[in-house]
Amino acid sequence: MRAALIALTLTFATQAGGADIFDSNFSLGNVSGIEVVLEDHVSNGCWTNLREVRKYAEEKLRMKGAKIKKVGLPLLINNNYWFGISVGGGRVFEDLKGDCYGVISVSLYSLGAFGNIDHKAIIAETSTVLLTKTKLNTAVLEVTNEFISELK
């Protein structure tokens, strides 16, 4: 019953209509460095192309003028950012034979201190919820591509 409810909920969930861009003046070419960071919270083999996703994102960002490098902790003061791709999900049924469900979140952000309080400064973000008969691999690439295409 629980699995059926999850499936029904995900079936009617809508995909995000593109990125929410919070700084319209932001330009990838004016950044000191961007590091692509992946978070894998997917179980039961529903996301398996992490290396491909990282390389794809790095190449697409380079094509838009970004400098890809390891930035460590992304600090605004250093003009460094993380391009985060976070995916959570799994199989609908416990027998591992069901469809894959997932939440794909992509964001571009840095960290900064305002006053004496640390903040996460989000330049842009998007999220998509889906249910698919295949792995989430293609969907992660598509969401990443759409997100990067909206950045300047």
Side-chain angles (χ1 to χ4, degrees), residues 69-139:
K69 65 180 186 179
K70 296 277 187 202
V71 299
L73 197 60
L75 299 175
L76 283 173
I77 194 166
N78 297 332
N79 198 24
N80 291 323
Y81 294 82
W82 275 352
F83 184 90
I85 302 170
S86 178
V87 185
R91 299 252 177 218
V92 174
F93 301 110
E94 292 179 16
D95 65 3
L96 306 182
K97 295 179 183 173
D99 296 347
C100 289
Y101 66 90
V103 177
I104 302 166
S105 299
V106 182
S107 61
L108 180 63
Y109 61 95
S110 189
L111 303 174
F114 300 97
N116 291 327
I117 302 171
D118 293 332
H119 289 76
K120 180 178 180 180
I122 301 170
I123 299 301
E125 66 181 355
T126 190
S127 290
T128 300
V129 178
L130 71 147
L131 178 67
T132 178
K133 294 196 177 300
T134 61
K135 294 178 182 181
L136 302 172
N137 296 354
T138 301

Side-chain angles (χ1 to χ4, degrees), residues 31-83:
V31 172
S32 295
I34 294 177
E35 181 176 349
V36 175
V37 179
L38 304 179
E39 292 182 36
D40 178 5
H41 303 284
V42 180
S43 61
N44 301 317
C46 282
W47 183 31
T48 60
N49 68 338
L50 282 77
R51 182 176 298 187
E52 178 185 2
V53 168
R54 177 187 306 280
K55 290 179 184 274
Y56 182 82
E58 289 174 348
E59 185 57 31
K60 288 290 187 181
L61 288 165
R62 269 191 208 95
M63 290 170 59
K64 294 207 86 168
K67 296 168 201 78
I68 304 301
K69 65 180 186 179
K70 296 277 187 202
V71 299
L73 197 60
L75 299 175
L76 283 173
I77 194 166
N78 297 332
N79 198 24
N80 291 323
Y81 294 82
W82 275 352
F83 184 90

